[in-house]
Amino acid sequence: MSQEKKLWIGLLLVAIFSFGVLGYYGYEIYQQSPPIPEKIISENKEVIFTDQEIKDGQNVWQSMGGQEVGTIWGHGAYVAPDWTADWLHREAVFILNLYAQKDFKKDFSALDKEKQAALKIRLQADLRTNRYDENTKTITISENRVLAIQYLSHYYEGLFTNSPEFDKLRNDYAIPKNAIKDADRMHKMNAFFFWATWATVTERPNSDISYTHNWPADELVGNKATTDLMAWSGVSIITLILCIGLLVFYHAKSGEGESLPIPTSDPLLKQGMTPSMYLVKKYFWVVSLLMILQVLLGIVTAHYGVEGNGLYGIPIDKFLPYAVTRTWHTQLAILWIATAWLATGLYIAPAVSGKDPKFQCFGVNFLFIALLIIVVGSMIGQWFGVMQKLNLVQNFWLGHQGYEYVDLGRFWQIFLLVGLFLWLALMVRPLLPILKRKTEEKNLIILFLISCSAIALFYSAGLMWGRQTNLAIAEYWRWWVVHLWVEGFFEVFATVVIAFLFVRLGLLKTKTATLNVLFSTIVFLSGGILGTFHHLYFSGTPSAVMALGATFSALEVVPLTLIGYEAYHNYKLSKATAWVDDYKWPIYFMLAVSFWNFLGAGIFGFIINPPIALYYVQGLNTTPLHGHTALFGVYGMLGIGLMLFVLRSLYRNTLWNNKLIKTTFWSLNIGLFLMATMSLLPIGIWQAIESIEKGMWYARSAELMQDPTMITLKWLRTFGDVLFAIGIVSFAWFVFDLTLKNKNK
């Protein structure tokens, strides 16, 4: 059996096993997610909340921005608190003071440690005991919790409406006045906040661990790190070390492979150009404009962290609140990166066959218009949603779904999915004749088409939750999109495309490229598919999810240990011969991808991957540290690199403005590094220390986040942000200068 066939079998087995396990535990999440009761009642049988109020409250929370305004269970934005950690701690303090006043006529904080300990045991017995009745579908709560709900409902109503006493706190949290404009909506959102918080402290049936695995950490209520957290963290580290050793051994044993004589001239000069290949220029124009818009929104969003009600004294929160700017900032990142990659695919597919199928140009233009409509339409809908101008049903379909990275309304999701399948058709049609010829490139093309199909297919996971689906279940499917779609199959697509480009340049043998891509895909998907679970440790999932997530997410880091070899290999290719120097900057961006893969995805990713680490840092600035350096550092840099490969091929005999592209390269990389190390990293470390010592509630509190030193650290981000913005503008300038000066080519 050939090595190639063995690798194909290995890939198939990995996919079947991994998706089988992912599906099985998805079923378990459906069965064991925190129950939404038909009623929450007091001991006197008074109805406090109903199931419909909880479900509607989830929709109200989504309509105001959802995960773009603070977090729930640690997922979302970072200026406002985690509402479950905030509610839990405030509820605990309120009830402890009730106990203390009743028993000792003092506040809890004035008692000695022995008396405090006794009251905390009483509190934990009340809060942690699971009083959900499976037969009546009700949760019974104590009278003290009823009083706490009344107090906290009044507190949050004042915060989210327009109570003057909350003006400073709203400013600290970047929440505009009347974020919720309706008293009935506010009551329902409080119902959702209580239910989500109830799940964080209430122990699962026949267990001493809460539905969210004791997250968030809070000593008052007995939420502390469990034995499972520590044990599986150890397993993840051992797995990482073991598999790194195995991979290094395999790499050393396999050697560097066959050398290939470098062509004397650029092979792409002999490649024919089709009409549809020239049409991708307009995609690059849009990508450039979206990049500039995304950076501007990022600057405004970051500024909200130090001035929560405006921009240098201008009260822009009245018409452009933080929830909107952050939504657009994160969504545009996905959209422009995806557009750059999709455009690269549209260029490569007809380049292989050398001719366009019928209506290929029409399809490319139609898809371009559809993408513009999706971008503009979804952004408008999200603004209307956050500004509370839509009812809950309209908001779900056309407005803001409230889930980070999949905020766009369901109609726009479906529209985008249709667009992805149209793109897939545009990929398949030019390549079918090549497959029938059974050329040497056949297996590489099959891999390319598999990755294209996965990109289209796996985005459909975003349609698997409904308007009022249990949050634990919605989170499971959301991470299918964010992890499997964005971090998974786009990665496979990128691996294939890069290999294919080097094959076309004559720098890599087709067979070698195919074997490398197959092996890389197996290694990546071995950890990547089940590694999805590391996002779900504390999202109301069974304990087995933690075991699997901890073990397999460690494998995601394993291939990054050889990233130096990949970078050195690409660097050698850039020096191979004189004509390859024309591809210097595309290859340099591939070097940048390798660097950020190691630092952003590898180091900054693994420091938040083990369960015990994530228990204390989920929802802190260690997450955007990883997010910025991995999303832009890896996928963004790769998108730019792919665009430059295409532009180099489109304008083969045109001299580039190397000063401009050099400015782009170094400004983006140095700016991103400064942003990460001068601001996000020290803020994240400080928050992590406070989270370990005092609890998640304090690590996200206004008291800490508005500390003068913390504000200084936020301002230090300016240096990196400005340099980064220069890189984005210079890249857009480069694209427009190159394409418009050569518009007849």
Side-chain angles (χ1 to χ4, degrees), residues 176-217:
K177 286 185 177 180
N178 292 314
I180 303 295
K181 296 179 169 63
D182 183 284
D184 181 60
R185 283 193 172 200
M186 195 61 239
H187 170 75
K188 291 175 177 177
M189 192 166 80
N190 280 325
F192 170 67
F193 279 1
F194 173 78
W195 171 82
T197 305
W198 173 86
T200 66
V201 70
T202 301
E203 293 173 355
R204 289 179 177 273
N206 305 312
S207 173
D208 59 356
I209 297 170
S210 77
Y211 284 100
T212 59
H213 222 95
N214 284 3
W215 190 95

Side-chain angles (χ1 to χ4, degrees), residues 160-341:
F160 286 102
T161 55
N162 60 358
S163 180
E165 66 183 286
F166 287 95
D167 283 348
K168 183 180 184 305
L169 196 57
R170 270 193 296 269
N171 179 65
D172 292 342
Y173 293 163
I175 298 173
K177 286 185 177 180
N178 292 314
I180 303 295
K181 296 179 169 63
D182 183 284
D184 181 60
R185 283 193 172 200
M186 195 61 239
H187 170 75
K188 291 175 177 177
M189 192 166 80
N190 280 325
F192 170 67
F193 279 1
F194 173 78
W195 171 82
T197 305
W198 173 86
T200 66
V201 70
T202 301
E203 293 173 355
R204 289 179 177 273
N206 305 312
S207 173
D208 59 356
I209 297 170
S210 77
Y211 284 100
T212 59
H213 222 95
N214 284 3
W215 190 95
D218 195 324
E219 179 264 343
L220 291 181
V221 299
N223 267 7
K224 57 185 179 179
T226 66
T227 303
D228 280 353
L229 277 167
M230 299 182 189
W232 288 110
S233 297
V235 169
S236 73
I237 294 169
I238 293 168
T239 302
L240 174 66
I241 296 170
L242 173 64
C243 291
I244 286 174
L246 292 174
L247 186 63
V248 170
F249 173 77
Y250 175 86
H251 183 261
K253 183 174 179 293
S254 62
E256 294 199 17
E258 302 173 279
S259 60
L260 183 66
I262 303 299
T264 56
S265 61
D266 183 354
L268 294 186
L269 291 174
K270 304 170 187 176
Q271 175 184 285
M273 299 291 292
T274 71
S276 74
M277 293 167 69
Y278 287 106
L279 296 177
V280 301
K281 288 186 292 185
K282 62 168 71 75
Y283 284 80
F284 295 162
W285 297 339
V286 169
V287 168
S288 301
L289 294 174
L290 292 181
M291 289 170 71
I292 292 174
L293 179 58
Q294 194 228 345
V295 167
L296 291 174
L297 288 165
I299 291 170
V300 174
T301 301
H303 190 78
Y304 268 123
V306 295
E307 187 183 353
N309 59 358
L311 185 67
Y312 298 104
I314 304 171
I316 63 170
D317 66 322
K318 293 180 179 179
F319 59 89
L320 200 63
Y322 173 85
V324 171
T325 63
R326 190 179 188 276
T327 298
W328 289 351
H329 175 67
T330 54
Q331 180 173 296
L332 286 177
I334 298 295
L335 289 174
W336 79 251
I337 291 171
T339 301
W341 292 25

Side-chain angles (χ1 to χ4, degrees), residues 331-403:
Q331 180 173 296
L332 286 177
I334 298 295
L335 289 174
W336 79 251
I337 291 171
T339 301
W341 292 25
L342 298 182
T344 301
L346 292 174
Y347 179 86
I348 287 177
V352 176
S353 62
K355 62 179 182 179
D356 288 330
K358 196 174 184 181
F359 301 120
Q360 184 78 2
C361 288
F362 172 81
V364 172
N365 286 328
F366 183 83
L367 180 61
F368 176 76
I369 295 169
L371 288 174
L372 287 181
I373 294 171
I374 291 166
V375 171
V376 175
S378 63
M379 290 175 70
I380 292 172
Q382 286 156 350
W383 184 88
F384 272 91
V386 172
M387 301 305 286
Q388 301 289 287
K389 297 180 182 296
L390 303 174
N391 65 39
L392 298 183
V393 176
Q394 291 170 339
N395 180 71
F396 174 75
W397 282 98
L398 297 170
H400 199 302
Q401 284 201 58
Y403 295 130

Side-chain angles (χ1 to χ4, degrees), residues 25-45:
Y25 282 101
Y27 172 80
E28 289 294 301
I29 290 170
Y30 272 81
Q31 304 307 310
Q32 300 183 40
S33 58
I36 297 178
E38 291 183 2
K39 294 177 184 177
I40 296 174
I41 60 175
S42 69
E43 292 172 336
N44 296 326
K45 307 303 179 183

